[in-house]
Every structure is written in structure tokens, then in C-alpha cells.
Amino acid sequence: MPKSRWSFPERIFFAAAVVVGVVLLWQLTEVLVLVFGAIVIATVVRGLARRLERWLGLSTHAAGIAGTLSIMGVLGLAIWLVGGALTHQVDQLRQSIPDAWNAASAWLESRPLGRQFLQVIEDAGQSGLSGARLAGVAGTALGAVGTGVLMLIVGVYLALDPALYRQGVLNLTPPGCRSRLANALEASGHGLSRWLLGQAASMVFLGSSTALGLWVLDVPLAMVLGFVTGLLAFVPFFGSIAAGALATLLGFTAGPEKALHVALLFLALQQVEDYLLQPIVQRWAVAIPPVLTMLSALIFGILFGIVGIVFATPMMVVVMIMVRKLYVEDVLEAR
């Protein structure tokens, strides 16, 4: 049996360092989520910047600046084209929700199971709408806005010079491990980039098809509901449920039958995405089993809160690739 290269005190020190590192990371969960969100933003910018490097022969830094300005320009153009109509519909949506809830409540009141459902909601509202809780919700919302802005700024800086920060991470590891870790980081970035591109296609499909379907059904505020559905599609599992519930609630303003049609529309679109679009996307990008997608939302939601749920799937993508590269291939298959 080969003798270990590490002495007993060195192994004790390494074990203690691992424990301290885990405890420190646990205390800095919000920072970890912020950094990962910045990495996602940087991945989007770098995806465009790499193409600008090839097409225009720009340097990495210049391509990062050009990619950032291009994305900002596209977003600005989209806001200029549809921002006014979308803002108007958002305001109408805010005003329509109370009427939609009253209509839905009246329909539920006429059914025994519906009355029990309303009672559960009423009890939850009475126990959770205190002034302190509302103040906490407001504080959380403001904190989320600040975190999003900081995430965007850090992501842009990461995209401008990614090699500098990657080399900094590699310098913190033993020299013998740097090559394998560099390969794992490269594979993770490539997989995350492909997953984001596939997810963008899925979001565009769900948003546009929802808006078109609601317009055909003559449901009010079809454009804003399609926009919200496309955004929420980034959140695994729970996003589609939230979007469908909101649209179905708005359908009650035109009657229970219209709400049923809306619910069936969302159910049909979800089946198309799950059994047609996602298999195609995952065959090209990263295949994540549905059970892992749901478990990732639960696990990262418990660890990091709401932001963890939002970034659950891309986190799982990175975890899967890192485990495969650093453990399965380097440890299990090597043996």
C-alpha cells in the first residue's frame, strides 16, 4: 500500500481548513448567490463577446465592452418599441387583479371544496399580514432590487476580463490540481452557456405562444401575461405554475368557462415544452432529469431562499458538470 504524501498534522490541518471553509461559505450564502448570478450574467455577455472577437477581431476586453453595449442597446430598443404598451398593460393588470379575485372567490364560494380553499387562504392571510411582516416583505423587495443591480455590475466586470478572475481561482488551488480544475471550469462555462441559450429559446416560445393563445381566447392583457410567463419560465417548475395561476385568475373576469380555457391552454403549452421542446434543447445543451430539476429548486431554495429558486437549474448544471469532471472522471473512472 503506497505511503501517503501528507503527514498526520498536515491531514489534520487540511480537514480543519475544509470545515472552516464550509462554515464560512454557509455564513456567506447571500454572497455566493450574488456571485453565481453575476457569473450567469457574465456568461450571457461573454457568449456574444466571443462571437464579436471572431467576427471583428476585437480583443477580449473590447469584445466584452461591445457585447455589453450591444445587449443594452437591444434592451433599450425593445423598451422603446413596446415599453409604453407593456407599462400600460402592467398598470391595467394591477388594477384588474382585485376584480378577478372577487370573481374567482364568488365562483369558489358556490362549491364546497372551493369554500374550504378560500378558508385556508383567509386563515393564512390573517396570520401573515401583520405590519411587521409587510415591512419585512417591503425590505426584502428593496434588498432584491439592490442585489440585482450589484449582480449586474459584477457580472459586467467579470465579462470584461474573465481570464483574470479564473486565474485567481486557480492560484488558490495546489499546482497539481490546476489543470484538472481549469478543464472543469471550462466545461462548466461551456455547459452553462449552452443551457442559457436553450433556456432563452424555451422562454421565448412560452412567452410568445402564451400571448398568442390568450389573444385567440380573447383574454384581456394577453401581451403582459405572455411577457410575465416568459420571464417566469426561467424559474424551474414553480415559474410555470405561478404564471398559469395568474392568467387563470385573470380569466375569471370573463367567466369560469374562460378561466377553464386558459388553464387548459397553459396545460397544453406545458406538455409541448416538457415533451417536445425540452428534449430537443437538452439533447443539444445539458440534459437534466426532471426529478433533479424539481429537487434543485427545493434544495437551493432552502439554502439560499428565493434567489436560490431562481438560479436553481443553472446551479444544478454547474454542479453536475463539476462532479462529473472532478469526481466521476478523475476519481471513479481513473480507478
Side-chain angles (χ1 to χ4, degrees):
M1 183 176 181
K3 186 178 179 180
S4 175
R5 292 176 297 174
W6 288 14
S7 65
F8 180 75
E10 288 176 332
R11 291 199 295 269
I12 294 296
F13 176 79
F14 178 76
V18 170
V19 172
V20 172
V22 170
V23 173
L24 185 61
L25 290 177
W26 178 258
Q27 296 297 323
L28 298 176
T29 52
E30 294 184 3
V31 177
L32 290 177
V33 176
L34 187 149
V35 171
F36 185 82
I39 291 173
V40 171
I41 294 173
T43 302
V44 175
V45 176
R46 286 304 307 164
L48 178 59
R50 279 193 294 269
R51 287 164 176 77
L52 293 177
E53 288 181 40
R54 291 198 300 267
W55 297 340
L56 304 179
L58 299 176
S59 65
T60 300
H61 188 78
I65 295 175
T68 302
L69 294 178
S70 300
I71 293 174
M72 292 175 61
V74 171
L75 291 177
L77 179 62
I79 292 174
W80 180 69
L81 291 175
V82 300
L86 192 61
T87 302
H88 179 65
Q89 287 206 4
V90 168
D91 186 61
Q92 286 184 314
L93 176 63
R94 179 180 58 81
Q95 297 176 6
S96 301
I97 287 179
D99 294 335
W101 175 248
N102 291 334
S105 299
W107 181 79
L108 291 171
E109 281 284 358
S110 62
R111 285 155 178 79
L113 189 59
R115 286 195 293 270
Q116 295 180 13
F117 177 72
L118 289 175
Q119 186 62 45
V120 170
I121 295 179
E122 183 179 352
D123 294 341
Q126 289 176 352
S127 63
L129 290 180
S130 63
R133 184 175 293 272
L134 289 177
V137 171
T140 301
L142 290 176
V145 173
T147 300
V149 173
L150 185 58
M151 196 179 292
L152 180 62
I153 295 173
V154 175
V156 170
Y157 275 103
L158 288 175
L160 293 180
D161 197 357
L164 173 66
Y165 302 101
R166 185 179 65 176
Q167 189 60 44
V169 172
L170 294 176
N171 289 340
L172 297 175
T173 60
C177 302
R178 290 175 186 174
S179 176
R180 295 194 299 273
L181 181 58
N183 291 334
L185 291 175
E186 184 71 23
S188 298
H190 184 65
L192 182 60
S193 174
R194 294 174 73 91
W195 180 86
L196 286 170
L197 189 58
Q199 188 65 21
S202 179
M203 293 168 66
V204 169
F205 165 76
L206 282 177
S208 57
S209 57
T210 297
L212 179 61
L214 294 176
W215 177 75
V216 171
L217 292 175
D218 198 24
V219 176
L221 308 177
M223 184 174 72
V224 68
L225 289 173
F227 178 75
V228 170
T229 301
L231 286 181
L232 290 178
F234 187 83
V235 181
F237 187 67
F238 300 105
S240 300
I241 295 177
L246 178 61
T248 302
L249 179 63
L250 264 294
F252 273 100
T253 57
E257 185 177 348
K258 185 73 69 176
L260 176 61
H261 292 163
V262 173
L264 292 176
L265 170 66
F266 270 84
L267 181 61
L269 291 178
Q270 194 62 47
Q271 301 308 306
V272 172
E273 187 200 18
D274 290 343
Y275 297 104
L276 180 62
L277 183 61
Q278 281 298 326
I280 296 175
V281 169
Q282 291 185 357
R283 191 179 304 120
W284 176 79
V286 179
I288 304 179
V291 173
L292 276 185
T293 301
M294 290 186 286
L295 286 179
S296 66
L298 295 175
I299 293 171
F300 292 117
I302 293 173
L303 292 176
F304 305 121
I306 298 297
V307 183
I309 296 177
V310 173
F311 291 111
T313 307
M315 282 182 179
M316 183 58 71
V317 169
V318 173
V319 169
M320 285 177 57
I321 295 175
M322 295 293 283
V323 168
R324 185 178 74 240
K325 289 293 183 180
L326 297 178
Y327 180 66
V328 175
E329 294 181 3
D330 282 358
V331 178
L332 297 183
E333 293 182 358
R335 290 178 179 176

